[in-house]
Amino acid sequence: MSSRTPNSVYLTKPNTTSAVQNAPSKVTLHLGHLPSKKDIKGPWPRTPTRVDPNNPPWPAYRGYHEYSFAHATMGVRLPTILGKAIDDATRTLNGQSAEEKIVDLVQCIERMDVLMQDLSGNQKLRPIVDDGEADVALWNKEIAKYFQGKDFMNAPWLFAEAYKYRRLREAFTVSKYWGDYDVFYRQKCDTFSRSSDAVFELSMRFAVPFIQSDKSPETKLDTERLMFLELTQVCLWGNSTDLSLLINMTEDQIKSLQSTGGDHLAATEKNILGNHLNQLWDTVKELRDKTGGRIDFVLDNAGFELYCDCVYADFLIQSGLAKQIRFHGKRYPWFVSDVTKKDWEWLFNSMVYGHLFPKATEQERESLRRLGLRWKQYAHEGKWVYEQHPFWCTGYTFWELHTEAPDLFLHLSRSDLVIFKGDLNHRKLTYDCAAPASTPFDIAIGPMASAAGAPKVCSLRTIKSDVVVGLESDEIAERLDKEEPGWKISGKYAVVLLSEGRPGEKVRFA
Ligand code: F6P
Ligand code: MG
């Protein structure tokens, strides 16, 4: 805390000779004759016409900000992740027998090595090689327009990080045999098989479709509301690094979650710092009252998180709150654990046919099998649809979705509710910049809320990086900054934020 008085300024004592040894250790200048201090408004947020990928509405996080999470990620986390990816490809290489495939994979590994040197040596961001992917033009347009001459550390963190994953992709797509290779696949499968307690906790409850025919309409609605709130939290905390919500619960805690949600729900809800759960319930309830509409999930991670998303989506279908769910995944491996089509199929097929849980009981295995079969049936009937637009694997934030992917914006505008899962999606919604924590969610997401036809948007995100918006006051964040350093990257806190958008209005493009 500074002890500086409003009209004075301390100057530190310069390093001097013995001639001034008796001088005071600090010099205080009195500035009483100078004009009084003015309340100067910062240049933030930038006006929309001055916003672009290199200049977000509030200051961007950049890798060169030492002591920041951006710096730690660019300097340490990403090289570590890349190192693991190289190890994985090497492991695969060692199991090959055909010479052509071996030579081809060796070249992929060499390209990964070059990426490692570029990243560690903080090289400039070069254009993406035309490898036939649908997003090449989007990438190279953005690099040419906003990031010429920029390097891994001085480009905004979000873009530089996404660029690294695109370069990793390129290392494989230019090969002859390894275009579909996923260096993170083994890890993703593991997150599911390692979560057996929580997996069966849910499958044993939901394998049998829930029926509540003998109840009064009021009781039915109330039960549904409680189930909705609990399952929204299951879906939310599925994004946390570990699912302590379910895994570490005692039998009693599980029972309380099951019966009314009461205490345990209230306890975990305290960690939801921006909380629109009740508005979300009103939204889906209204949807059913009208037609029972379409809900979109912009997915985040494969394995256990996807499983939680599907349990939630299953409930939405069974309760009639939604008639159709459209899931949006990635076209290729992205930010380590994001869902690809292969991960989507893997989950359902291993639930039905797999032998992932050797210690499970017969009942548990059967519950998982039934759940998997039902989900496959939903997909078969078109109640669940999997999509993968190229825009999701670009460095653009969702402020640019309207201009850079107009077809996708139009498509989403027809949804009754778009749920974005996870940290990266949240960073992209909010332009990943230093907006004050009290910034309302609909302001923070810009055109995704304000453009004509913008759908209702919900972000279910456990907080794992710097940007935090949608809190009632800045003080909550300031207090946590002081009391709990690291609270923004622990995954212990979360937000459930809803924007009403401008649904039903005609979508327009400039
Ligand atoms: O590295 C950046 C980051 O967004 C982290 O904040 C987070 O740990 C990770 O990537 C991805 O999180 P999520 O899978 O929730 O998007
Ligand atoms: Mg992810």
Side-chain angles (χ1 to χ4, degrees), residues 367-397:
S367 67
L368 201 59
R369 205 179 70 82
R370 281 202 204 177
L371 209 53
L373 281 172
R374 187 159 77 235
W375 295 353
K376 281 163 88 74
Q377 184 63 19
Y378 286 152
H380 187 65
E381 291 167 359
K383 287 182 180 160
W384 284 9
V385 180
Y386 184 87
E387 301 185 13
Q388 41 181 5
H389 195 283
F391 181 77
W392 302 121
C393 290
T394 66
Y396 283 112
T397 72

Side-chain angles (χ1 to χ4, degrees), residues 393-428:
C393 290
T394 66
Y396 283 112
T397 72
F398 302 155
W399 276 56
E400 288 107 11
L401 197 152
H402 180 268
T403 47
E404 298 301 332
D407 57 323
L408 181 58
F409 186 86
L410 194 63
H411 182 49
L412 295 178
S413 77
R414 294 179 183 136
S415 175
D416 294 291
L417 174 68
V418 184
I419 298 176
F420 288 85
K421 286 292 316 283
D423 195 70
L424 178 64
N425 279 328
H426 191 86
R427 290 172 66 196
K428 287 190 157 193

Side-chain angles (χ1 to χ4, degrees), residues 300-301 335 338:
D300 186 4
N301 300 321
F335 278 70
D338 283 23

Side-chain angles (χ1 to χ4, degrees), residues 239 300-301 305 330 334-339 422-424 464:
N239 178 247
D300 186 4
N301 300 321
E305 181 171 350
K330 307 296 189 297
W334 187 244
F335 278 70
V336 185
S337 38
D338 283 23
V339 180
D423 195 70
L424 178 64
K464 293 187 265 180

